[in-house]
Amino acid sequence: AIWLKPHCGSQAHRWHWPLYLVRLTEMPAADESGSESDEQLIGGNGIPVVAEQEQGRLAAKAAASLAAMMVLPRLVGFGLGYLTFKLRGEEFFRAQISFLAARSLGFFYLSVLLFSALVQWLNLFPMVYKRQLKLQGNIRANMQFLVARTTEGEVLPYVLMEEQGVVGSFNRANRSLFHFNENMGGFLVCMICAGFAFPLPAFVCTAVFAIGRIMHQVGYAVGGYGKHAPGFVLSMFATAVMEGLVAVAMFGAFGVL
C-alpha cells in the first residue's frame, strides 16, 4: 500500500487534500520460464485483459441491460402505484389529486419524473464501460482508476482503493455512501411529491428505501462485493414504487385517471 497526498497551490499558499490509503495493483504472475501463465487474465496495468471483440459484445449486452433497467422497474412501479390508488382509499387519494389538477400541477409532476429518470440514467450509463472491463469482486468498488508514474516516467499499474482488512471495509462503506448520494436525488423529489397525494404509501416506500440502504452499506462493508445486492434491490424497488405513485398523481392531475 502507498499513501497518496496530492497538493496544489504555490509554495506560499500550499494546501493539502486528505490522505487516501490506496494500493498499486499487482503485476501478473509469471511462470518459471519468466513468461505469463496462459491462464492469467490480468494485464500489466492490473485489470483483466479483454479482447476488442469481447468488449463490443459486452458493450451491447450492457446497453440492453441499461434499457431494461430504465423501463421495467418503472412499469412495475406504476402498476403497484395504480393498485395502491384503486385498492387503498381511492376517494381520499382522488381528493388530493384533485387539488393538483385544480392548480395545473401535472407538468410539475412530470418534471419530477423526468428528473428522477435522469438521475438513474447518469448512474447507469457508466456501467456500459464498466461491463467491458470484466471486473470481478471488490475491485468493482473503484469509481476511478488512477495512473501512477515513477520519477523516470515509467507507467505503473493502476492505483486502486485498498480492499483488504479494516481499511477495505472502510472504503466500501464509503463507496456505499457515495452510491446513496448518487441516487438519492430522484428518490427525494419523488418522496416529496408522492407524499402529498399518497402520504402513508410514501412513508412505507421511504422506510423500505432506508432499510435497503442500510443493508447495502453493511453488506458492502462487512461481506464485500455481492453482499450489498439485496439492499440495492430493495432500495431500487422502493424507488420504483415511489415513482409509480408520482406517475399516478401526474395522470390524475392531467385528468386521465
Side-chain angles (χ1 to χ4, degrees), residues 3-123:
W3 289 99
L4 291 185
K5 192 174 186 180
H7 61 81
C8 64
S10 64
Q11 292 291 336
H13 299 87
R14 177 169 295 181
W15 56 276
H16 295 277
W17 295 351
L19 294 172
Y20 297 92
L21 185 60
V22 299
R23 65 178 175 84
L24 290 175
T25 53
E26 296 180 355
M27 298 293 286
D31 57 26
E32 294 181 356
S33 65
S35 61
E36 294 180 12
S37 170
D38 292 338
E39 298 181 357
Q40 180 57 252
L41 300 177
I42 305 300
N45 57 8
I47 63 175
V49 176
V50 184
E52 185 174 345
Q53 183 177 3
E54 177 71 359
Q55 287 180 337
R57 185 188 69 82
L58 292 171
K61 186 176 180 179
S65 298
L66 171 61
M69 292 186 70
M70 289 294 298
V71 175
L72 296 181
R74 287 178 169 81
L75 294 178
V76 173
F78 177 75
L80 293 176
Y82 184 73
L83 286 177
T84 300
F85 171 70
K86 297 296 290 185
L87 302 178
R88 303 297 295 178
E90 179 179 352
E91 182 177 349
F92 170 77
F93 295 147
R94 193 173 292 279
Q96 297 295 93
I97 293 174
S98 297
F99 178 89
L100 302 177
R103 287 155 181 79
S104 302
L105 292 176
F107 281 106
F108 172 71
Y109 272 62
L110 178 59
S111 299
V112 168
L113 291 175
L114 288 176
F115 179 80
S116 183
L118 170 65
V119 170
Q120 186 181 24
W121 170 271
L122 294 176
N123 279 278

Side-chain angles (χ1 to χ4, degrees), residues 164-237:
Q164 302 298 325
V166 175
V167 174
S169 295
F170 171 79
N171 283 338
R172 290 190 299 276
N174 277 288
R175 176 65 189 100
S176 179
L177 173 60
F178 273 96
H179 190 271
F180 168 76
N181 293 338
E182 294 161 2
N183 289 273
M184 59 85 67
F187 184 87
L188 179 61
V189 293
C190 286
M191 177 184 69
I192 295 172
C193 292
F196 176 81
F198 303 93
L200 180 57
F203 166 76
V204 173
C205 288
T206 303
V208 173
F209 180 82
I211 293 172
R213 292 311 314 182
I214 293 173
M215 291 173 57
H216 184 284
Q217 187 174 54
V218 174
Y220 218 163
V222 177
Y225 183 83
K227 301 300 182 182
H228 69 304
F232 172 79
V233 172
L234 196 61
S235 59
M236 184 177 180
F237 173 77

Side-chain angles (χ1 to χ4, degrees), residues 139-187:
I139 192 176
R140 292 174 63 92
N142 288 271
M143 294 185 291
Q144 296 175 327
F145 295 93
L146 306 179
V147 174
R149 291 182 172 86
T150 65
T151 54
E152 291 77 21
E154 178 187 358
V155 178
L156 300 173
Y158 290 132
V159 180
L160 307 178
M161 292 191 303
E162 176 61 77
E163 61 185 57
Q164 302 298 325
V166 175
V167 174
S169 295
F170 171 79
N171 283 338
R172 290 190 299 276
N174 277 288
R175 176 65 189 100
S176 179
L177 173 60
F178 273 96
H179 190 271
F180 168 76
N181 293 338
E182 294 161 2
N183 289 273
M184 59 85 67
F187 184 87

